[in-house]
Amino acid sequence: MTIDERTFVTARRITVRGLVQGVGFRPYIFRLAELHRIFGTVENANDAVYIYAEGADDQITAFLEAIPRDKPPAAEVHEIQAEPAEPSGSREFRIIASSNNSEAVTRVSPDIAVCADCLADMKTQPHRIEYPLINCTNCGPRFTIIRDLPYDRPNTTMDVFPMCSTCRVEYENVRDRRFHAQPVACKDCGPFYSVWETAPAHSGAAAASAASAASGSEALERTAEIINGGGLVALKGTGGYHLVCDAYNEDAVRRLRTNKRREGKPFAVMFRDRAALEDVSTPNEAELECLHSPARPIVLLSSHQGIAPSVCNGLEGIGAILPSMAFHYLLFEHLNTNAVVLTSGNVSNEPIVIDDSDAVHRLGPMVDAVVSYNRAVHNRVDDSVVMVVNGSPRPIRRSRGYAPGPIPLFTNVEGILAVGAELKHTFCLGKGQEAVLSQHIGDLKNGETLEFFEEAVERFSRLFRFEPRILACDLHPDYLSTRFALQFGLPVMQVQHHHAHIVACMAEHNIHEQVIGVSFDGTGYGSDESIWGGEFFVADRAEFRRVAHLPAIPLPGGDLVVTEPWRTGLALLHRELGAAAFEMDLPFLQEIPAERRAAARTSLEKNLYCPLSSSAGRLFDAVAAITGVCSYAQFDAEGPMRLESLAAAGTHEAYPFPLDWTHDSQDPEKMLNMGLSDTIGALLEDMRSGQDLRLISARFHTTISKLIVQTSIHLRSSLGLNSVVLSGGLFQNRYILEQTEFFLAQQGFSVYAHKQVPTNDGGIALGQLAEAAARS
């Protein structure tokens, strides 16, 4: 039908905002327009996708309704605006060139795992047979290769790879799945893999003196040979390097631990497929959905069996991931094993390596080969980590596959830069009514990680056309992020650490009214300059009042307690039992050299270098030490993790815990007093009677959940609040979160916990930004 034959021709100028860059949105609109007999244009700009649509009124209506309903799998439509326009007599629908016309931005797509269609193409298309970097508009690298908007090939690290004629035809064919797929490539024109075999790490030879090199299909075969032979490989992934070995080979895993200097922390494992995973663990449907999602995160599962013991180092759970790149699928076709360790390619707490030369020089001495491809990674991203609790995915580390996807806040946050905390660091930019949270940065105490943070702030600012007008940071004067903010030369708002946790969760759920906030974590700088971490607040986004907290435990030796939790265990016993604690015949005390116990006793009795802490994390450290689970920690939160790993499944009787709060209308600042004497006494009695440690752990976990519930009930009865917000690193504990949400809901509370950003310090920046917006 021609334009002259149609009656009641109308036109609309349509603006579509959301994740519409790099996800095949323009060709989708083109095909949709053909289907609905719409004439006009579609244009990709840096602030939105713009459509001029002309047709009969009912056709325009159907077209608009279909846009969000039938969108590409990786696209997200946040807003559609349609305004009347004058018909121009268009007789075709065209895709026109991208433009850059605003300081606003569209969403930048996270990286997307290889799709099933591409895996099929890899076996059937002659120019892509077994091509390990295959991609299309529905999958492949995005954020990791982008330098600037709009998302076109010249603005990515693919700009150095001219397309061959075959790829060019696909790229320019609007009906092809690779139409305007910016990383499109094939065996004839695209990047390729190479293997640099290094001198064995134990030989003392430098990695740079590579013994041999292989590329193309030889690279794949040689990589498999090395892993099959028990070797170690540094393998370049989408956002940086991984260290890889056979997950069933105990000798290989131990060697990897030694070379990486990661003696205790568990490794993630990549499985060939679902069947291989189900030989080792029993994921539920929600966990399987996460594992197969386009983000392809590491998913924390609650049990495992059969793999090398040193992979998880005595912990019951396992971090599982499925292949995300075509190379992974091809590699498994050549491997004799169904699972490989896949851990970040770095040393200690340094950022993941992304540069190929750095990989040879820094990772080479640790492995038998460095396996890389010659497309640059511009934006470094670690693997994301999630766990499923009560049927919902909960992010633990939000990075590849999720970042830099924004969080809608429904309030203006433009120009606010929130610089986060210190550990598990992320930062956050305010753009319009959205928060753009960075990928996982890491531990800012590490010099290279601090440089990564500063570089990432600069890159995000350029990419998202961001001009800061105010900064938000932690109260802690010694955090490097705080110093960064204070030296920026702009107004600064300092935000109390645990209030930022609560506000982050409130922002996720679009809550503005007062709530009961429960913030349990390892440590945070309190408003009174003491160490907080087991807090109950009455809070909104701008203000809070501390109404209760866990008992403050002295920390003999200060920061030494982080790696020597026996100190906190001894301090807790002394606090609750007095001098009798030093005479107790507990196994964990007998393991500590006498002179160190004596020094700690002196410190406690004379109150020398014993800062007080109400931290839930330190309380769990103490119980882990007292029960003999962990006296010395090799990695962050090892004691609490091992204590959780031991806890018997199911709901068990709580230990007694006294709560004392007589409400006084004349003293609204009066706090609820909590004691742990009865709790610790009952726990010690269980130990003396030879009770199963798994039951002791379960009872202690249940005690903490019940304490949260009973405290919330007290606060509801006196203050009339019924919404409870849970945040802080302790709620990474599956047992605690699962029970606490359930018990609170049983009591009729509206319960909110994190589902978009990490409950640990990786979510702090969002809370800082939302509080700064509320206060300003």
Side-chain angles (χ1 to χ4, degrees), residues 173 213 219 261 278 334 524 537 599 658 724 771:
N173 180 2
R261 287 181 274 168
E278 290 179 334
H334 292 77
F537 293 159
V724 179
E771 178 169 338

Coordinates of all heavy atoms in Angstrom, one line a residue, residues 173 213 219 261 278 334 524 537 599 658 724 771:
N173 N 23.5 -5.2 6.1 CA 22.2 -5.8 5.8 C 21.3 -5.8 7.0 O 21.5 -6.5 8.0 CB 22.4 -7.3 5.4 CG 21.1 -8.0 5.0 OD1 20.0 -7.3 5.0 ND2 21.2 -9.2 4.6
A213 N 55.5 -20.1 20.6 CA 54.2 -19.4 20.4 C 53.4 -20.2 19.4 O 53.9 -20.8 18.5 CB 54.4 -18.0 20.0
A219 N 46.5 -22.7 18.8 CA 46.4 -22.1 20.1 C 45.4 -22.8 21.0 O 45.6 -23.1 22.2 CB 46.0 -20.6 20.0
R261 N 49.5 -17.0 45.4 CA 49.6 -16.6 46.8 C 48.2 -16.4 47.4 O 47.9 -15.4 48.0 CB 50.4 -15.3 46.9 CG 51.9 -15.5 46.7 CD 52.7 -14.2 46.8 NE 52.7 -13.5 45.6 CZ 53.1 -12.2 45.5 NH1 53.5 -11.5 46.6 NH2 53.1 -11.6 44.3
E278 N 25.8 -30.6 37.5 CA 24.9 -31.4 38.3 C 25.6 -32.7 38.8 O 25.1 -33.4 39.7 CB 23.6 -31.7 37.6 CG 22.8 -30.4 37.5 CD 21.5 -30.6 36.8 OE1 21.4 -31.5 35.9 OE2 20.5 -29.8 37.0
H334 N 38.0 -30.0 23.6 CA 39.4 -30.6 23.5 C 39.9 -31.0 24.9 O 41.0 -31.6 25.0 CB 40.4 -29.6 23.0 CG 40.2 -29.3 21.5 ND1 39.2 -28.4 21.1 CD2 40.8 -29.7 20.4 CE1 39.2 -28.3 19.8 NE2 40.2 -29.1 19.3
G524 N 32.9 -0.2 60.3 CA 32.5 1.1 59.7 C 32.7 2.2 60.7 O 32.6 1.9 62.0
F537 N 18.9 1.2 63.2 CA 18.6 2.6 63.0 C 17.1 2.8 62.8 O 16.4 1.9 62.3 CB 19.3 3.2 61.7 CG 20.8 3.2 61.7 CD1 21.5 3.3 60.6 CD2 21.5 3.2 62.9 CE1 22.9 3.3 60.6 CE2 22.9 3.3 62.9 CZ 23.6 3.3 61.7
A599 N 50.1 -11.4 76.3 CA 50.1 -10.0 75.8 C 48.6 -9.6 75.6 O 48.3 -8.4 76.0 CB 50.9 -9.9 74.6
P658 N 19.2 -11.8 76.1 CA 18.3 -10.8 76.8 C 18.3 -9.5 76.1 O 19.3 -9.0 75.5 CB 19.0 -10.6 78.2 CG 20.5 -10.9 77.9 CD 20.5 -11.9 76.8
V724 N 11.3 -3.0 57.4 CA 12.7 -3.4 57.9 C 13.6 -3.5 56.7 O 13.3 -4.3 55.8 CB 12.7 -4.7 58.7 CG1 14.1 -5.0 59.2 CG2 11.8 -4.5 59.9
E771 N 21.8 9.5 49.5 CA 21.7 10.3 50.7 C 22.1 11.8 50.4 O 21.5 12.7 50.8 CB 22.6 9.8 51.8 CG 22.6 10.7 53.1 CD 23.3 10.1 54.3 OE1 23.4 8.9 54.4 OE2 23.6 10.9 55.2

